[in-house]
Amino acid sequence: MTTQVRQEVVVVGGGIAGLCAAYELTGGREGPSSSSPRVTVIEAGPRVGGKLQSLEIDGRVLDSGPDGVLARRPEIGEICRDLGIADDLVPIGASGASLFARGRVRPLPEGLQMGIPTNWQALRASHVLSGAGLLRALRDRLSPLPSSRGALQDRTIGSLVETKLGREVVTTLVDPLLGGINAGRVSEMSAAAIYPPLLEAGQQRGSLMAALGAMAPPPPSSDPQEGDVPPPPAFVSLVGGMASLISVLETTLRERGVTFVLNTSVTSLRRTAGSDARWSVDSERTTSRADGVVLALPAIGASGLFESLDPDAAALLAQIDYASVAIVTFVFDADDLTLPATGTGVLIPPETPHPRGPFHGERFLTTALTFLDRKWPHLHRPGTTVLRSHTGRIDDDRLETMSDTEVTERALIELGILFHDVGVPRESHVTRWAESLPQYRVNHLMRVVGIENAVEHLPGLEIAGAALRGIGVPACIGSGRAAGQKLRETLGAKAL
Ligand SMILES: Cc1cc2nc3c(=O)[nH]c(=O)nc-3n(C[C@H](O)[C@H](O)[C@H](O)COP(=O)(O)OP(=O)(O)OC[C@H]3O[C@@H](n4cnc5c(N)ncnc54)[C@H](O)[C@@H]3O)c2cc1C
């Protein structure tokens, strides 16, 4: 009788992508079987979850990283169903947002597609653009610029929109919306990687607004009839916060026998020689031998691990740079802060200067505000208001030299410019996210294809996470699960 030796897999990085890879390696929805490998997750930090973390403030557990996800992506519903927590999903409680433009907080125009206007009347009525900016955008409607019909190639989102609608639309609308999500600048961001429909629409002859408008789903009826299916929410979260997904995943994985090694940075990855070659995963304190490895860490770290395996792939990974941001979470007495009547938050265009006060002329540190207890009504407590100030962007390094107290004070001064008569917060908390948001620059997808090709040639290795094909939590869940499934198949074939 022969006994089958159980295969070993190491997952490097315990963020959502790494945990989802571990989930699939241990059988996914079906659960483990006798052929499932033994899985170890090695995580540099003191806890798993990566960017999905929470904090307790004023008796509430609040997300300090992502607070919600795009509902139209299937991955969040799937993983929640598989983990038995689909009932914990909660829809966003409000819609719309405002913009600080031309000295005032104004509602965003309707009909924006990723910040790009598609409805001329709504754009005009919103007063977010100057007269000159509006006239320039009007050219797209009256005499749209013919686009050159060259070979379709990647371009920056900023240049595509600027050619058609003018610079003011880019700096006032597209940068705060689309750039803000990535803490980047759309003048550097890849249309192919971030918003492919724009690449297609921007290279067509004719109006960009009309082309994007035609691609948009129809708006929900303003006069719903009996029997109409209500439109699905745009965003969802979990009743215990997005970070509660991590607790459930971690518990499930522990029950499946997954080992977690915390406070341990993997420093090198080697392939041992010989016909039964295995992987050697080294940290300063440990060496693990494995039949398979999933790399689910940021590109900066993954690049170092590729150096001896494939220097070209290491160089491609090193080209993916990251923005640092900080989130200031505030709890106010409701009387101490008067917010706009509707909407989930306010966006602030990157070049906006302080119009007055001690930092007169200096540009805002705050890039956006989220009205947390309006966005997620289950967080609401009578008499208080909870909001987050998002600060930092790829081209703004001021956070590096500011203390938490200085960041909080600056965020408060900027709140005062937006809303006037802002009182003293009951509580505040700064969460720093250094080098946290990967920048998908022009030709990002070409880099990713190069990295994926290198991985194809390294049997037993998979790669996942935000550096590759989507920074949102759903994309990271999808990439982690796909990496885990693929490695399970590779190991299954090897075991035959
Ligand atoms: C402030 C903020 C707000 C966001 N808001 C949203 C949102 O609202 N909605 C949304 O969908 N997305 C949002 N995102 C994006 C999303 O949260 C992330 O892109 C996603 O969680 C990344 O998951 P990941 O597993 O790829 O990487 P990570 O979460 O970065 O996990 C990687 C893990 O690898 C570990 N690691 C690094 N180096 C090593 C090493 N050498 N050895 C071992 N371990 C290592 C790290 O400690 C980390 O735990 C936000 C991101 C940030 C920063």
Side-chain angles (χ1 to χ4, degrees):
M1 199 177 86
T2 56
T3 48
Q4 205 184 349
V5 179
R6 212 166 151 202
Q7 292 171 311
E8 308 268 350
V9 172
V10 170
V11 175
V12 183
I16 185 70
L19 297 189
C20 285
Y23 181 71
E24 284 304 323
L25 284 159
T26 53
R29 184 188 163 79
E30 311 300 325
S33 67
S34 57
S35 64
S36 298
R38 206 188 313 273
V39 177
T40 302
V41 176
I42 304 184
E43 164 56 44
R47 63 184 84 85
V48 291
K51 307 297 181 298
L52 277 84
Q53 302 291 345
S54 59
L55 61 102
E56 206 178 323
I57 184 166
D58 197 42
R60 277 172 266 219
V61 176
L62 302 176
D63 283 309
S64 53
D67 66 310
V69 299
L70 265 180
R72 68 178 151 75
R73 300 271 318 210
E75 296 90 342
I76 188 72
E78 284 164 6
I79 192 82
C80 288
R81 272 193 299 280
D82 290 353
L83 291 168
I85 54 167
D87 288 347
D88 290 352
L89 284 166
V90 285
I92 191 165
S95 62
S98 303
L99 180 75
F100 185 59
R102 303 177 57 233
R104 276 183 37 200
V105 174
R106 304 166 187 272
L108 279 171
E110 282 174 18
L112 295 180
Q113 290 295 317
M114 299 285 192
I116 304 164
T118 62
N119 179 333
W120 165 254
Q121 305 295 351
L123 179 64
R124 196 180 53 165
S126 70
H127 300 289
V128 297
L129 296 185
S130 68
L134 201 59
L135 274 177
R136 173 62 186 84
L138 182 63
R139 254 172 51 194
D140 177 69
R141 191 174 136 106
L142 299 181
S143 56
L145 284 181
S147 293
S148 57
R149 280 245 175 101
L152 203 66
Q153 58 179 359
D154 197 7
R155 300 212 6 221
T156 67
I157 291 169
S159 69
L160 277 164
V161 178
E162 185 170 343
T163 307
K164 295 278 196 171
L165 299 172
R167 183 157 171 69
E168 203 174 319
V169 168
V170 175
T171 53
T172 307
L173 286 165
V174 192
D175 239 334
L177 258 121
L178 201 44
I181 296 169
N182 300 268
R185 294 301 297 262
V186 291
S187 55
E188 306 281 337
M189 285 161 50
S190 156
I194 293 169
Y195 190 28
L198 173 64
L199 197 57
E200 194 190 322
Q203 298 198 358
Q204 282 171 20
R205 289 177 198 275
S207 161
L208 178 67
M209 281 203 207
L212 282 177
M215 291 177 184
S221 164
S222 55
D223 177 24
Q225 305 294 311
E226 202 180 321
D228 279 0
V229 179
F235 291 90
V236 290
S237 187
L238 284 161
V239 76
M242 285 307 300
S244 65
L245 176 60
I246 297 298
S247 327
V248 178
L249 257 174
E250 185 183 357
T251 305
T252 305
L253 293 175
R254 284 192 190 278
E255 284 166 6
R256 292 180 175 193
V258 171
T259 305
F260 289 89
V261 180
L262 302 176
N263 297 307
T264 302
S265 256
V266 170
T267 49
S268 99
L269 179 64
R270 288 173 291 127
R271 188 104 173 112
T272 56
S275 55
D276 60 343
R278 298 181 80 202
W279 291 96
S280 177
V281 186
D282 304 325
S283 75
E284 274 167 18
R285 295 189 288 130
T286 57
T287 290
S288 317
R289 291 292 152 97
D291 303 281
V293 175
V294 177
L295 295 181
L297 69 169
I300 311 164
S303 168
L305 301 184
F306 264 88
E307 216 111 83
S308 62
L309 299 171
D310 187 323
D312 291 340
L316 290 172
L317 282 158
Q319 286 170 22
I320 303 171
D321 58 339
Y322 282 70
S324 296
V325 297
I327 303 254
V328 193
T329 306
F330 289 110
V331 181
F332 284 94
D333 284 331
D335 294 342
D336 284 333
L337 184 65
T338 308
L339 299 178
T342 58
T344 57
V346 181
L347 301 163
I348 298 152
E351 305 298 340
T352 308
H354 279 219
R356 57 179 176 277
F359 300 102
H360 182 226
E362 206 178 296
R363 58 180 180 147
F364 269 63
L365 187 70
T366 310
T367 57
L369 304 174
T370 304
F371 308 150
L372 221 47
D373 53 357
R374 189 183 283 173
K375 195 172 172 187
W376 310 115
H378 63 278
L379 296 176
H380 180 70
R381 306 274 184 282
T384 59
T385 298
V386 186
L387 65 81
R388 315 209 293 189
S389 292
H390 301 247
T391 65
R393 209 184 274 266
I394 187 73
D395 59 348
D396 185 352
D397 56 10
R398 287 176 292 174
L399 281 175
E400 278 173 31
T401 53
M402 293 172 81
S403 67
D404 284 0
T405 308
E406 287 170 324
V407 174
T408 307
E409 281 170 4
R410 186 71 65 95
L412 270 174
I413 288 171
E414 294 178 348
L415 270 179
I417 293 171
L418 265 52
F419 300 131
H420 310 286
D421 300 328
V422 175
V424 178
R426 277 160 80 130
E427 283 198 48
S428 64
H429 185 277
V430 177
T431 310
R432 302 244 178 194
W433 291 109
E435 307 226 313
S436 55
L437 289 155
Q439 301 297 300
Y440 291 2
R441 294 176 186 269
V442 171
N443 292 331
H444 177 78
L445 292 180
M446 306 291 272
R447 270 172 223 116
V448 172
V449 168
I451 294 160
E452 288 171 346
N453 275 340
V455 170
E456 283 286 321
H457 288 93
L458 293 164
L461 185 68
E462 294 297 337
I463 186 163
L468 303 174
R469 292 179 182 272
I471 72 162
V473 171
C476 295
I477 293 172
S479 94
R481 291 189 85 165
Q485 280 164 8
K486 211 160 157 220
L487 185 54
R488 204 169 68 178
E489 282 162 22
T490 311
L491 295 178
K494 194 176 151 193
L496 291 176

